[in-house]
Protein backbone atom coordinates (compact mmCIF):
# COMPACT_ATOMS: atom_id res chain seq x y z
CA UNK A 1 0.00 0.00 0.00
CA UNK A 2 2.82 2.35 0.86
CA UNK A 3 4.46 1.76 -2.55
CA UNK A 4 1.15 2.56 -4.25
CA UNK A 5 0.78 5.74 -2.20
CA UNK A 6 4.01 6.85 -3.88
CA UNK A 7 2.81 5.84 -7.34
CA UNK A 8 4.60 2.53 -7.71
CA UNK A 9 3.22 -0.90 -8.56
CA UNK A 10 2.77 -2.83 -5.31
CA UNK A 11 4.34 -5.89 -6.93
CA UNK A 12 7.73 -4.16 -6.77
CA UNK A 13 7.36 -3.99 -2.98
CA UNK A 14 6.47 -7.63 -2.42
CA UNK A 15 10.01 -8.84 -1.70
CA UNK A 16 10.50 -6.07 0.86
CA UNK A 17 7.11 -6.86 2.41
CA UNK A 18 8.03 -10.52 2.58
CA UNK A 19 11.29 -9.63 4.28
CA UNK A 20 9.36 -7.85 7.04
CA UNK A 21 7.13 -10.91 7.40
CA UNK A 22 10.07 -13.35 7.58
CA UNK A 23 11.81 -11.08 10.09
CA UNK A 24 8.66 -10.88 12.21
CA UNK A 25 8.42 -14.66 12.24
CA UNK A 26 12.13 -14.99 13.07
CA UNK A 27 11.52 -12.79 16.11
CA UNK A 28 8.53 -14.90 17.16
CA UNK A 29 10.57 -18.14 16.92
CA UNK A 30 13.31 -16.72 19.16
CA UNK A 31 10.86 -14.90 21.50
CA UNK A 32 8.91 -18.11 22.00
CA UNK A 33 12.11 -19.82 23.18
CA UNK A 34 12.78 -16.93 25.58
CA UNK A 35 9.18 -16.93 26.87
CA UNK A 36 9.08 -20.73 27.01
CA UNK A 37 5.83 -20.57 25.01
CA UNK A 38 4.35 -23.92 23.95
CA UNK A 39 1.84 -22.54 21.42
CA UNK A 40 1.82 -19.98 18.63
CA UNK A 41 -1.21 -19.40 16.40
CA UNK A 42 -2.77 -22.57 17.74
CA UNK A 43 0.21 -24.72 16.74
CA UNK A 44 3.23 -26.03 18.61
CA UNK A 45 6.12 -23.56 18.67
CA UNK A 46 9.27 -24.51 16.74
CA UNK A 47 11.38 -25.31 19.82
CA UNK A 48 8.48 -27.37 21.22
CA UNK A 49 7.89 -29.36 18.03
CA UNK A 50 11.60 -29.98 17.42
CA UNK A 51 14.00 -28.67 20.07
CA UNK A 52 15.63 -25.45 21.32
CA UNK A 53 18.68 -25.87 19.07
CA UNK A 54 16.48 -26.16 15.99
CA UNK A 55 14.57 -23.07 17.13
CA UNK A 56 17.74 -21.01 17.57
CA UNK A 57 19.28 -22.18 14.30
CA UNK A 58 16.20 -21.89 12.10
CA UNK A 59 15.53 -18.45 13.57
CA UNK A 60 19.08 -17.42 12.65
CA UNK A 61 18.53 -18.74 9.12
CA UNK A 62 15.26 -16.79 8.81
CA UNK A 63 16.99 -13.56 9.84
CA UNK A 64 19.57 -14.11 7.10
CA UNK A 65 16.89 -15.02 4.55
CA UNK A 66 15.04 -11.80 5.38
CA UNK A 67 18.13 -9.90 4.14
CA UNK A 68 18.32 -12.09 1.03
CA UNK A 69 14.89 -10.91 -0.03
CA UNK A 70 16.42 -7.49 -0.81
CA UNK A 71 18.88 -8.97 -3.30
CA UNK A 72 16.71 -8.49 -6.37
CA UNK A 73 16.55 -4.71 -5.91
CA UNK A 74 19.09 -2.49 -7.60
CA UNK A 75 22.13 -1.62 -5.47
CA UNK A 76 20.98 1.73 -4.07
CA UNK A 77 17.53 0.48 -3.16
CA UNK A 78 19.12 -2.67 -1.73
CA UNK A 79 21.40 -0.65 0.50
CA UNK A 80 18.62 1.69 1.68
CA UNK A 81 16.35 -1.27 2.48
CA UNK A 82 19.08 -3.23 4.27
CA UNK A 83 20.18 -0.20 6.31
CA UNK A 84 16.65 0.51 7.48
CA UNK A 85 16.12 -3.17 8.13
CA UNK A 86 19.27 -3.49 10.28
CA UNK A 87 18.47 -0.38 12.33
CA UNK A 88 14.92 -1.60 12.90
CA UNK A 89 15.92 -5.18 13.66
CA UNK A 90 18.36 -4.00 16.34
CA UNK A 91 15.61 -1.88 17.88
CA UNK A 92 13.26 -4.87 17.94
CA UNK A 93 15.97 -6.91 19.74
CA UNK A 94 16.42 -4.02 22.19
CA UNK A 95 12.64 -3.87 22.74
CA UNK A 96 12.57 -7.59 23.45
CA UNK A 97 15.39 -7.18 25.98
CA UNK A 98 13.43 -4.38 27.73
CA UNK A 99 10.38 -6.65 27.79
CA UNK A 100 12.40 -9.46 29.39
CA UNK A 101 13.98 -7.03 31.89
CA UNK A 102 10.63 -5.44 32.83
CA UNK A 103 9.30 -8.78 34.07
CA UNK A 104 11.67 -8.60 37.02
CA UNK A 105 11.38 -4.89 37.67
CA UNK A 106 8.86 -3.08 39.89
CA UNK A 107 9.91 0.41 38.91
CA UNK A 108 9.05 0.52 35.20
CA UNK A 109 8.01 4.04 34.22
CA UNK A 110 5.44 5.02 31.58
CA UNK A 111 8.12 6.51 29.27
CA UNK A 112 10.11 3.27 29.56
CA UNK A 113 7.03 1.25 28.75
CA UNK A 114 6.26 3.41 25.71
CA UNK A 115 9.87 3.03 24.54
CA UNK A 116 9.56 -0.74 24.88
CA UNK A 117 6.41 -1.02 22.73
CA UNK A 118 7.83 1.50 20.27
CA UNK A 119 10.93 -0.66 19.77
CA UNK A 120 9.27 -4.04 20.02
CA UNK A 121 6.36 -3.30 17.71
CA UNK A 122 5.95 0.19 16.31
CA UNK A 123 9.30 0.65 14.53
CA UNK A 124 8.56 -2.43 12.43
CA UNK A 125 5.27 -0.91 11.24
CA UNK A 126 7.13 2.30 10.44
CA UNK A 127 9.91 0.44 8.64
CA UNK A 128 7.43 -1.62 6.61
CA UNK A 129 5.78 1.58 5.38
CA UNK A 130 9.09 3.32 4.70
CA UNK A 131 10.25 0.32 2.68
CA UNK A 132 7.32 0.85 0.32
CA UNK A 133 8.48 4.45 -0.06
CA UNK A 134 12.10 3.36 -0.64
CA UNK A 135 11.06 0.92 -3.36
CA UNK A 136 9.04 3.76 -4.91
CA UNK A 137 12.10 6.02 -4.73
CA UNK A 138 10.18 8.59 -2.71
CA UNK A 139 12.14 11.53 -1.27
CA UNK A 140 13.82 11.36 2.14
CA UNK A 141 11.16 13.71 3.58
CA UNK A 142 8.34 11.50 2.29
CA UNK A 143 10.11 8.43 3.62
CA UNK A 144 10.42 9.97 7.07
CA UNK A 145 6.78 11.06 6.94
CA UNK A 146 5.36 7.65 6.14
CA UNK A 147 7.73 6.07 8.69
CA UNK A 148 6.43 8.42 11.34
CA UNK A 149 2.82 7.65 10.36
CA UNK A 150 3.50 3.92 10.76
CA UNK A 151 5.44 4.29 14.00
CA UNK A 152 2.72 6.39 15.70
CA UNK A 153 0.04 4.06 14.45
CA UNK A 154 2.10 1.11 15.73
CA UNK A 155 2.24 2.57 19.24
CA UNK A 156 -1.53 3.26 19.14
CA UNK A 157 -2.05 -0.31 17.93
CA UNK A 158 -0.04 -1.81 20.78
CA UNK A 159 -1.82 0.33 23.41
CA UNK A 160 -5.11 -0.77 21.86
CA UNK A 161 -3.88 -4.34 22.25
CA UNK A 162 -3.29 -3.72 25.96
CA UNK A 163 -6.76 -2.15 26.26
CA UNK A 164 -8.60 -4.92 24.40
CA UNK A 165 -6.82 -7.56 26.45
CA UNK A 166 -8.74 -6.23 29.46
CA UNK A 167 -11.87 -4.69 27.93
CA UNK A 168 -12.29 -6.51 24.61
CA UNK A 169 -15.41 -8.52 23.79
CA UNK A 170 -14.67 -12.22 24.51
CA UNK A 171 -16.83 -13.08 21.48
CA UNK A 172 -14.68 -11.17 19.01
CA UNK A 173 -11.25 -10.78 20.72
CA UNK A 174 -8.92 -13.48 19.37
CA UNK A 175 -7.05 -14.11 22.60
CA UNK A 176 -8.20 -14.84 26.14
CA UNK A 177 -9.62 -11.64 27.59
CA UNK A 178 -7.75 -10.82 30.81
CA UNK A 179 -4.69 -12.79 29.72
CA UNK A 180 -2.27 -9.96 30.56
CA UNK A 181 -3.90 -9.53 34.00
CA UNK A 182 -3.61 -13.23 34.77
CA UNK A 183 0.05 -13.15 33.68
CA UNK A 184 0.70 -10.04 35.86
CA UNK A 185 1.91 -8.12 32.85
CA UNK A 186 2.83 -4.53 33.54
CA UNK A 187 0.88 -2.99 30.68
CA UNK A 188 0.05 0.65 30.10
CA UNK A 189 -3.25 0.14 31.95
CA UNK A 190 -1.47 -1.24 35.00
CA UNK A 191 1.20 1.46 35.08
CA UNK A 192 -1.41 4.22 34.66
CA UNK A 193 -3.61 2.72 37.36
CA UNK A 194 -0.66 2.76 39.77
CA UNK A 195 0.12 6.35 38.82
CA UNK A 196 -3.46 7.54 39.35
CA UNK A 197 -4.25 5.62 42.55
CA UNK A 198 -3.94 6.49 46.21
CA UNK A 199 -1.69 4.32 48.37
CA UNK A 200 -4.52 1.97 49.36
CA UNK A 201 -5.59 1.15 45.81
CA UNK A 202 -1.94 0.89 44.74
CA UNK A 203 -1.41 -1.75 47.39
CA UNK A 204 -4.57 -3.58 46.35
CA UNK A 205 -3.44 -3.63 42.73
CA UNK A 206 0.07 -4.79 43.61
CA UNK A 207 -1.36 -7.54 45.80
CA UNK A 208 -3.59 -8.70 42.94
CA UNK A 209 -0.54 -8.70 40.67
CA UNK A 210 1.34 -10.98 43.02
CA UNK A 211 -1.21 -13.78 42.56
CA UNK A 212 0.26 -16.66 40.59
CA UNK A 213 -1.09 -17.06 37.03
CA UNK A 214 -2.22 -20.57 37.97
CA UNK A 215 -4.56 -19.29 40.70
CA UNK A 216 -6.48 -16.30 39.46
CA UNK A 217 -10.21 -17.02 39.33
CA UNK A 218 -11.63 -13.76 40.63
CA UNK A 219 -8.66 -11.58 39.91
CA UNK A 220 -9.53 -10.35 36.42
CA UNK A 221 -12.76 -8.56 37.39
CA UNK A 222 -11.18 -6.91 40.44
CA UNK A 223 -8.26 -5.59 38.42
CA UNK A 224 -10.56 -4.34 35.67
CA UNK A 225 -12.59 -2.46 38.28
CA UNK A 226 -9.40 -0.76 39.49
CA UNK A 227 -8.41 0.07 35.92
CA UNK A 228 -11.80 1.76 35.49
CA UNK A 229 -12.12 3.50 38.87
CA UNK A 230 -8.57 4.86 38.80
CA UNK A 231 -9.15 6.47 35.42
CA UNK A 232 -6.48 4.30 33.81
CA UNK A 233 -8.91 2.90 31.23
CA UNK A 234 -9.93 6.38 30.12
CA UNK A 235 -6.31 7.55 30.07
CA UNK A 236 -5.39 4.62 27.85
CA UNK A 237 -8.22 5.40 25.42
CA UNK A 238 -7.00 9.00 25.30
CA UNK A 239 -3.40 7.95 24.69
CA UNK A 240 -4.53 5.72 21.82
CA UNK A 241 -6.38 8.69 20.34
CA UNK A 242 -3.32 10.90 20.79
CA UNK A 243 -1.01 8.59 18.91
CA UNK A 244 -3.59 8.01 16.20
CA UNK A 245 -4.03 11.78 15.81
CA UNK A 246 -0.27 12.25 15.68
CA UNK A 247 -0.13 9.66 12.92
CA UNK A 248 -2.86 11.44 10.98
CA UNK A 249 -1.30 14.87 11.44
CA UNK A 250 1.90 13.60 9.80
CA UNK A 251 -0.19 12.71 6.77
CA UNK A 252 -1.06 16.38 6.30
CA UNK A 253 2.59 17.19 5.69
CA UNK A 254 2.91 14.62 2.90
CA UNK A 255 2.75 15.78 -0.72
CA UNK A 256 0.23 13.14 -1.84
CA UNK A 257 -3.33 13.41 -3.12
CA UNK A 258 -6.31 13.72 -0.77
CA UNK A 259 -7.54 10.34 -2.04
CA UNK A 260 -4.36 8.71 -0.87
CA UNK A 261 -4.42 10.48 2.48
CA UNK A 262 -7.97 9.22 2.95
CA UNK A 263 -6.85 5.71 2.10
CA UNK A 264 -4.16 5.82 4.80
CA UNK A 265 -6.64 7.38 7.25
CA UNK A 266 -9.16 4.63 6.57
CA UNK A 267 -6.42 2.08 7.19
CA UNK A 268 -5.53 3.74 10.49
CA UNK A 269 -9.15 4.10 11.58
CA UNK A 270 -9.90 0.52 10.71
CA UNK A 271 -6.94 -0.58 12.82
CA UNK A 272 -8.07 1.59 15.72
CA UNK A 273 -11.72 0.55 15.81
CA UNK A 274 -10.92 -3.13 15.59
CA UNK A 275 -12.41 -5.35 18.22
CA UNK A 276 -10.13 -8.30 17.51
CA UNK B 1 45.69 -9.28 2.77
CA UNK B 2 43.26 -10.24 0.06
CA UNK B 3 42.51 -6.57 -0.69
CA UNK B 4 46.25 -5.87 -0.97
CA UNK B 5 46.71 -8.83 -3.32
CA UNK B 6 44.31 -6.99 -5.63
CA UNK B 7 46.15 -3.68 -5.23
CA UNK B 8 43.89 -1.97 -2.73
CA UNK B 9 44.73 -0.41 0.61
CA UNK B 10 43.93 -2.91 3.36
CA UNK B 11 42.26 -0.16 5.36
CA UNK B 12 39.37 -0.19 2.90
CA UNK B 13 38.76 -3.82 3.79
CA UNK B 14 38.71 -3.41 7.56
CA UNK B 15 34.94 -3.03 7.91
CA UNK B 16 34.35 -6.16 5.85
CA UNK B 17 37.00 -8.04 7.86
CA UNK B 18 35.36 -6.89 11.08
CA UNK B 19 32.01 -8.11 9.80
CA UNK B 20 33.46 -11.61 9.35
CA UNK B 21 34.86 -11.43 12.86
CA UNK B 22 31.56 -10.28 14.41
CA UNK B 23 29.69 -12.98 12.47
CA UNK B 24 32.15 -15.62 13.65
CA UNK B 25 31.62 -14.53 17.24
CA UNK B 26 27.83 -14.48 16.77
CA UNK B 27 28.03 -18.11 15.65
CA UNK B 28 30.17 -19.02 18.67
CA UNK B 29 27.68 -17.41 21.08
CA UNK B 30 24.77 -19.40 19.60
CA UNK B 31 26.82 -22.61 19.13
CA UNK B 32 27.90 -22.46 22.78
CA UNK B 33 24.23 -22.41 23.80
CA UNK B 34 23.53 -25.40 21.54
CA UNK B 35 26.58 -27.31 22.82
CA UNK B 36 25.89 -26.29 26.42
CA UNK B 37 29.51 -25.12 26.63
CA UNK B 38 30.53 -23.39 29.87
CA UNK B 39 33.83 -21.95 28.63
CA UNK B 40 35.11 -20.15 25.55
CA UNK B 41 38.67 -18.84 25.25
CA UNK B 42 39.13 -19.42 28.95
CA UNK B 43 36.18 -17.24 29.91
CA UNK B 44 32.57 -17.99 30.80
CA UNK B 45 30.33 -18.25 27.74
CA UNK B 46 27.67 -15.55 27.31
CA UNK B 47 24.71 -17.76 28.27
CA UNK B 48 26.66 -18.98 31.30
CA UNK B 49 27.68 -15.52 32.51
CA UNK B 50 24.20 -14.03 31.96
CA UNK B 51 21.50 -16.44 30.76
CA UNK B 52 20.28 -18.27 27.64
CA UNK B 53 17.91 -15.45 26.67
CA UNK B 54 20.74 -12.92 26.75
CA UNK B 55 22.86 -15.31 24.67
CA UNK B 56 20.16 -15.72 22.02
CA UNK B 57 19.34 -12.02 21.87
CA UNK B 58 22.89 -10.68 21.88
CA UNK B 59 23.81 -13.24 19.21
CA UNK B 60 20.90 -11.98 17.08
CA UNK B 61 22.10 -8.42 17.58
CA UNK B 62 25.65 -9.36 16.55
CA UNK B 63 24.39 -10.97 13.34
CA UNK B 64 22.56 -7.74 12.48
CA UNK B 65 25.60 -5.62 13.41
CA UNK B 66 27.74 -7.73 11.10
CA UNK B 67 25.53 -6.55 8.23
CA UNK B 68 25.73 -2.95 9.43
CA UNK B 69 29.50 -2.99 8.96
CA UNK B 70 28.93 -3.02 5.19
CA UNK B 71 26.97 0.24 5.28
CA UNK B 72 29.92 2.52 4.63
CA UNK B 73 30.70 0.91 1.28
CA UNK B 74 29.18 2.29 -1.88
CA UNK B 75 25.93 0.64 -2.98
CA UNK B 76 27.31 -1.92 -5.45
CA UNK B 77 30.08 -3.05 -3.12
CA UNK B 78 27.57 -3.10 -0.27
CA UNK B 79 25.24 -5.38 -2.21
CA UNK B 80 28.02 -7.73 -3.32
CA UNK B 81 29.36 -8.01 0.23
CA UNK B 82 25.93 -8.52 1.77
CA UNK B 83 24.95 -11.15 -0.83
CA UNK B 84 28.12 -13.15 -0.27
CA UNK B 85 27.71 -12.72 3.47
CA UNK B 86 24.10 -14.02 3.47
CA UNK B 87 24.93 -17.03 1.31
CA UNK B 88 27.91 -17.88 3.53
CA UNK B 89 26.04 -17.29 6.77
CA UNK B 90 23.26 -19.67 5.70
CA UNK B 91 25.87 -22.31 4.85
CA UNK B 92 27.47 -21.90 8.26
CA UNK B 93 24.04 -22.43 9.88
CA UNK B 94 23.54 -25.50 7.70
CA UNK B 95 27.00 -26.81 8.69
CA UNK B 96 26.13 -26.33 12.36
CA UNK B 97 22.88 -28.26 11.87
CA UNK B 98 24.83 -31.13 10.23
CA UNK B 99 27.23 -31.09 13.17
CA UNK B 100 24.33 -31.31 15.64
CA UNK B 101 22.67 -34.08 13.58
CA UNK B 102 25.90 -36.09 13.25
CA UNK B 103 26.15 -36.46 17.02
CA UNK B 104 23.17 -38.81 16.96
CA UNK B 105 24.02 -40.64 13.75
CA UNK B 106 26.17 -43.75 13.32
CA UNK B 107 26.17 -43.70 9.55
CA UNK B 108 27.97 -40.45 8.75
CA UNK B 109 29.94 -40.83 5.52
CA UNK B 110 33.26 -39.18 4.62
CA UNK B 111 31.65 -36.97 1.94
CA UNK B 112 29.04 -35.83 4.48
CA UNK B 113 31.75 -35.04 6.99
CA UNK B 114 33.71 -33.05 4.42
CA UNK B 115 30.53 -31.15 3.50
CA UNK B 116 29.96 -30.36 7.17
CA UNK B 117 33.44 -28.88 7.74
CA UNK B 118 33.28 -27.10 4.38
CA UNK B 119 30.05 -25.36 5.46
CA UNK B 120 30.86 -24.88 9.11
CA UNK B 121 34.37 -23.52 8.61
CA UNK B 122 35.82 -23.36 5.11
CA UNK B 123 33.23 -21.19 3.34
CA UNK B 124 33.87 -18.43 5.87
CA UNK B 125 37.58 -18.43 5.03
CA UNK B 126 36.67 -18.32 1.35
CA UNK B 127 34.15 -15.52 1.89
CA UNK B 128 36.62 -13.50 3.96
CA UNK B 129 39.14 -13.65 1.12
CA UNK B 130 36.53 -12.90 -1.55
CA UNK B 131 35.39 -9.86 0.42
CA UNK B 132 38.88 -8.41 0.11
CA UNK B 133 38.59 -8.94 -3.65
CA UNK B 134 35.12 -7.34 -3.73
CA UNK B 135 36.32 -4.27 -1.86
CA UNK B 136 39.22 -4.09 -4.36
CA UNK B 137 36.72 -4.35 -7.23
CA UNK B 138 38.52 -7.40 -8.61
CA UNK B 139 36.88 -9.27 -11.50
CA UNK B 140 34.36 -12.07 -10.94
CA UNK B 141 36.96 -14.64 -12.05
CA UNK B 142 39.52 -13.32 -9.58
CA UNK B 143 36.89 -13.25 -6.84
CA UNK B 144 35.99 -16.89 -7.49
CA UNK B 145 39.68 -17.82 -7.57
CA UNK B 146 40.55 -16.29 -4.23
CA UNK B 147 37.33 -17.71 -2.73
CA UNK B 148 38.33 -21.18 -3.91
CA UNK B 149 41.83 -20.71 -2.47
CA UNK B 150 40.35 -19.81 0.90
CA UNK B 151 37.74 -22.56 0.85
CA UNK B 152 40.26 -25.32 0.08
CA UNK B 153 42.66 -23.95 2.65
CA UNK B 154 39.79 -23.84 5.14
CA UNK B 155 39.03 -27.53 4.64
CA UNK B 156 42.74 -28.37 5.00
CA UNK B 157 42.83 -26.23 8.16
CA UNK B 158 39.90 -28.04 9.73
CA UNK B 159 41.31 -31.49 8.88
CA UNK B 160 44.60 -30.33 10.40
CA UNK B 161 42.60 -29.36 13.49
CA UNK B 162 41.19 -32.90 13.70
CA UNK B 163 44.69 -34.33 13.26
CA UNK B 164 46.36 -32.10 15.86
CA UNK B 165 43.60 -32.83 18.35
CA UNK B 166 44.89 -36.43 18.40
CA UNK B 167 48.55 -36.09 17.45
CA UNK B 168 49.47 -32.52 18.38
CA UNK B 169 52.18 -31.72 20.89
CA UNK B 170 50.56 -31.11 24.29
CA UNK B 171 53.23 -28.43 24.92
CA UNK B 172 52.22 -26.30 21.95
CA UNK B 173 48.61 -27.33 21.09
CA UNK B 174 46.22 -24.82 22.62
CA UNK B 175 43.47 -27.27 23.51
CA UNK B 176 43.45 -30.54 25.41
CA UNK B 177 45.10 -33.17 23.18
CA UNK B 178 42.65 -36.05 22.71
CA UNK B 179 39.63 -33.86 23.45
CA UNK B 180 37.73 -35.04 20.36
CA UNK B 181 38.44 -38.69 21.29
CA UNK B 182 37.21 -38.19 24.84
CA UNK B 183 34.06 -36.51 23.48
CA UNK B 184 33.51 -39.38 20.99
CA UNK B 185 33.56 -36.94 18.10
CA UNK B 186 33.26 -38.53 14.69
CA UNK B 187 36.16 -36.72 13.09
CA UNK B 188 37.85 -37.47 9.77
CA UNK B 189 40.37 -39.67 11.62
CA UNK B 190 37.61 -41.73 13.19
CA UNK B 191 35.61 -42.15 9.98
CA UNK B 192 38.74 -43.09 8.01
CA UNK B 193 39.80 -45.58 10.70
CA UNK B 194 36.38 -47.27 10.46
CA UNK B 195 36.64 -47.35 6.67
CA UNK B 196 40.12 -48.90 6.68
CA UNK B 197 39.62 -51.43 9.48
CA UNK B 198 38.54 -55.07 9.56
CA UNK B 199 35.41 -55.97 11.51
CA UNK B 200 37.32 -56.68 14.70
CA UNK B 201 39.11 -53.32 14.86
CA UNK B 202 35.91 -51.57 13.83
CA UNK B 203 34.17 -53.11 16.81
CA UNK B 204 37.04 -52.16 19.11
CA UNK B 205 36.92 -48.56 17.92
CA UNK B 206 33.15 -48.36 18.27
CA UNK B 207 33.35 -49.81 21.76
CA UNK B 208 35.97 -47.23 22.72
CA UNK B 209 33.67 -44.51 21.30
CA UNK B 210 30.80 -45.63 23.51
CA UNK B 211 32.75 -44.81 26.68
CA UNK B 212 31.31 -41.80 28.45
CA UNK B 213 33.42 -38.62 28.30
CA UNK B 214 33.49 -38.61 32.10
CA UNK B 215 35.25 -41.99 32.26
CA UNK B 216 38.03 -42.14 29.71
CA UNK B 217 41.41 -42.51 31.38
CA UNK B 218 43.09 -45.02 29.05
CA UNK B 219 40.94 -44.46 26.02
CA UNK B 220 42.94 -41.77 24.21
CA UNK B 221 46.10 -43.86 23.68
CA UNK B 222 44.13 -46.92 22.49
CA UNK B 223 42.19 -44.87 19.96
CA UNK B 224 45.35 -43.14 18.73
CA UNK B 225 46.96 -46.55 18.20
CA UNK B 226 43.97 -47.60 16.06
CA UNK B 227 44.16 -44.32 14.11
CA UNK B 228 47.82 -45.11 13.36
CA UNK B 229 47.59 -48.86 12.69
CA UNK B 230 44.53 -48.53 10.43
CA UNK B 231 46.30 -46.02 8.23
CA UNK B 232 43.74 -43.30 9.11
CA UNK B 233 46.44 -40.97 10.42
CA UNK B 234 48.42 -41.20 7.16
CA UNK B 235 45.24 -40.83 5.09
CA UNK B 236 44.36 -37.66 6.99
CA UNK B 237 47.82 -36.18 6.42
CA UNK B 238 47.44 -36.96 2.70
CA UNK B 239 44.00 -35.36 2.57
CA UNK B 240 45.36 -32.22 4.22
CA UNK B 241 48.09 -32.12 1.57
CA UNK B 242 45.55 -32.64 -1.20
CA UNK B 243 43.39 -29.72 -0.14
CA UNK B 244 46.44 -27.52 0.40
CA UNK B 245 47.70 -28.41 -3.11
CA UNK B 246 44.27 -27.70 -4.58
CA UNK B 247 44.35 -24.29 -2.89
CA UNK B 248 47.79 -23.57 -4.31
CA UNK B 249 46.88 -24.75 -7.81
CA UNK B 250 44.03 -22.21 -7.90
CA UNK B 251 46.64 -19.52 -7.30
CA UNK B 252 48.31 -20.38 -10.59
CA UNK B 253 45.18 -19.35 -12.47
CA UNK B 254 45.12 -15.89 -10.87
CA UNK B 255 46.44 -12.90 -12.79
CA UNK B 256 48.60 -11.54 -9.97
CA UNK B 257 52.36 -11.12 -9.60
CA UNK B 258 54.59 -13.99 -8.48
CA UNK B 259 55.41 -12.03 -5.34
CA UNK B 260 51.78 -11.98 -4.38
CA UNK B 261 51.31 -15.65 -5.17
CA UNK B 262 54.27 -16.40 -2.92
CA UNK B 263 52.74 -14.30 -0.17
CA UNK B 264 49.53 -16.34 -0.31
CA UNK B 265 51.52 -19.58 -0.48
CA UNK B 266 53.54 -18.57 2.57
CA UNK B 267 50.26 -17.82 4.38
CA UNK B 268 48.90 -21.25 3.43
CA UNK B 269 52.10 -23.09 4.33
CA UNK B 270 52.32 -21.31 7.64
CA UNK B 271 48.73 -22.34 8.40
CA UNK B 272 49.46 -25.95 7.43
CA UNK B 273 52.67 -26.41 9.38
CA UNK B 274 51.23 -24.91 12.55
CA UNK B 275 51.51 -26.95 15.69
CA UNK B 276 48.94 -24.93 17.59
Amino acid sequence: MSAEIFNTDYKLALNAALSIEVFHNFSLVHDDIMDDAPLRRGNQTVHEKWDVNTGILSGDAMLIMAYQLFENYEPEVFRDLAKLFSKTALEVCEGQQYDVDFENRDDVTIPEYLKMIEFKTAVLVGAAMQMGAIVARASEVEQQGIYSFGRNLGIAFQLQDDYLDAFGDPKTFGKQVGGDIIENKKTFLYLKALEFSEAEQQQELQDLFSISPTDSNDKVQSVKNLFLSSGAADATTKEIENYTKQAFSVLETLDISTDKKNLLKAFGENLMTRKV
Side-chain angles (χ1 to χ4, degrees), chain A:
Chain A
M1 189 172 85
S2 174
E4 284 186 336
I5 294 292
F6 296 106
N7 306 311
T8 294
D9 188 345
Y10 77 90
K11 291 195 192 76
L12 268 177
L14 286 180
N15 274 317
L18 193 51
S19 175
I20 292 281
E21 187 63 23
V22 172
F23 171 78
H24 177 56
N25 283 284
F26 138 78
S27 73
L28 296 180
V29 172
H30 277 192
D31 284 6
D32 284 342
I33 298 173
M34 297 183 220
D35 299 341
D36 207 8
L39 290 176
R40 169 68 65 180
R41 297 172 187 155
N43 292 301
Q44 280 186 296
T45 46
V46 174
H47 69 275
E48 189 78 13
K49 181 156 181 179
W50 286 278
D51 50 46
V52 170
N53 288 357
T54 306
I56 294 175
L57 210 44
S58 50
D60 293 344
M62 288 167 81
L63 177 55
I64 297 159
M65 290 169 100
Y67 278 98
Q68 285 187 314
L69 284 159
F70 300 135
E71 289 178 4
N72 286 327
Y73 295 104
E74 45 190 313
E76 283 194 24
V77 173
F78 177 90
R79 190 180 59 172
D80 289 352
L81 290 172
K83 270 179 88 159
L84 174 59
F85 180 92
S86 292
K87 169 180 155 283
T88 307
L90 272 186
E91 287 170 345
V92 172
C93 286
E94 212 177 323
Q96 170 67 7
Q97 184 68 52
Y98 286 136
D99 202 11
V100 169
D101 291 347
F102 287 0
E103 271 179 45
N104 302 310
R105 277 183 50 193
D106 287 326
D107 57 350
V108 178
T109 65
I110 299 264
E112 283 179 323
Y113 182 79
L114 288 172
K115 191 89 199 161
M116 187 272 282
I117 62 173
E118 181 188 347
F119 274 18
K120 211 186 151 174
T121 305
V123 294
L124 196 60
V125 183
M129 302 208 77
Q130 187 176 345
M131 281 188 188
I134 289 172
V135 169
R137 301 291 202 122
S139 70
E140 186 63 33
V141 171
E142 289 170 316
Q143 285 185 31
Q144 289 310 320
I146 199 79
Y147 176 86
S148 182
F149 172 76
R151 190 182 60 87
N152 280 299
L153 214 56
I155 297 172
F157 178 90
Q158 189 57 46
L159 291 174
Q160 175 90 334
D161 208 60
D162 284 6
Y163 185 86
L164 289 176
D165 193 274
F167 298 108
D169 182 348
K171 289 195 209 103
T172 53
F173 189 60
K175 294 177 275 186
Q176 178 187 25
V177 171
D180 286 347
I181 296 172
I182 293 168
E183 295 291 331
N184 300 324
K185 281 203 124 186
K186 291 154 202 150
T187 64
F188 193 82
L189 281 165
Y190 173 78
L191 297 172
K192 270 288 168 199
L194 278 188
E195 183 188 331
F196 288 165
S197 297
E198 302 295 321
E200 200 183 326
Q201 277 76 35
Q202 279 184 0
Q203 193 55 54
E204 195 188 339
L205 191 56
Q206 282 165 335
D207 289 346
L208 284 162
F209 264 62
S210 60
I211 296 171
S212 157
T214 52
D215 179 30
S216 53
N217 301 353
D218 312 322
K219 173 178 164 187
V220 173
Q221 197 50 55
S222 309
V223 170
K224 279 168 72 171
N225 289 342
L226 283 169
F227 284 172
L228 288 164
S229 64
S230 65
D234 281 345
T236 305
T237 311
K238 277 219 184 72
E239 199 77 5
I240 294 166
E241 279 170 20
N242 280 344
Y243 278 102
T244 309
K245 269 186 202 150
Q246 254 180 278
F248 289 170
S249 76
V250 175
L251 284 187
E252 297 313 314
T253 69
L254 286 181
D255 186 21
I256 56 175
S257 71
T258 308
D259 273 7
K260 286 179 174 160
K261 285 181 189 171
N262 288 339
L263 200 69
L264 288 168
K265 264 190 198 157
F267 169 69
E269 272 157 7
N270 188 38
L271 212 59
M272 286 314 129
T273 55
R274 76 195 163 100
K275 302 271 178 265
V276 293

